[in-house]
Amino acid sequence: QVQLVESGGGLAQAGGSLRLSCEASGSISRINVMGWYRQAPGKQRELVASITTGSSGNYADSVKGRFTISRDNAKNTVYLQMNSLKPEDTAVYYCNALGTRVGGSLYYAYWGQGTQVTVSS
């Protein structure tokens, strides 16, 4: 089995910062892209940021210049540093990893359970 365990969510004031972490463990190998998605109440899940094995990052326009994604390939861990938080950043944040199973060659998308981020004005 594959597990993505997120941590670091919580409550922050507008203008504040939070750092999310997500570690992939279990029968996962050759992780390609890792990323963060979010879903606010009544809205669709949207991509926040993603990062390749070579650490090339991609960001939603709404978070560019405020959020930074990074990863530690040796630890199968991805991070999301969120600065200058806004109330509209309030959502459940989900970690995502695209990887193969040990011994396999097909890529699958795996998801974390989600962590709540709430930004107060």
Side-chain angles (χ1 to χ4, degrees):
Q1 287 192 355
V2 174
Q3 286 186 318
L4 271 62
V5 180
E6 299 131 334
S7 61
L11 178 64
Q13 290 188 334
S17 298
L18 287 172
R19 187 182 191 228
L20 305 182
S21 300
C22 171
E23 180 181 5
S25 63
S27 302
I28 188 169
S29 178
R30 295 207 304 266
I31 299 176
N32 188 350
V33 180
M34 299 188 80
W36 291 94
Y37 289 71
R38 68 186 181 187
Q39 188 167 19
K43 295 187 177 182
Q44 290 187 334
R45 189 175 297 189
E46 62 175 0
L47 175 67
V48 176
S50 62
I51 186 167
T52 65
T53 305
S55 297
S56 176
N58 178 56
Y59 297 91
D61 288 342
S62 59
V63 306
K64 281 181 181 177
R66 300 189 297 120
F67 291 8
T68 302
I69 190 169
S70 60
R71 66 188 283 177
D72 185 330
N73 292 326
K75 296 180 179 180
N76 285 343
T77 299
V78 63
Y79 307 95
L80 186 68
Q81 178 67 43
M82 304 185 293
N83 298 330
S84 301
L85 283 163
K86 302 176 181 180
E88 50 263 44
D89 294 319
T90 296
V92 178
Y93 283 70
Y94 296 91
C95 175
N96 172 268
L98 187 65
T100 65
R101 295 172 181 165
V102 174
S105 60
L106 295 178
Y107 280 84
Y108 295 90
Y110 300 97
W111 293 92
Q113 78 285 357
T115 185
Q116 177 69 46
V117 171
T118 302
V119 183
S120 62
S121 57

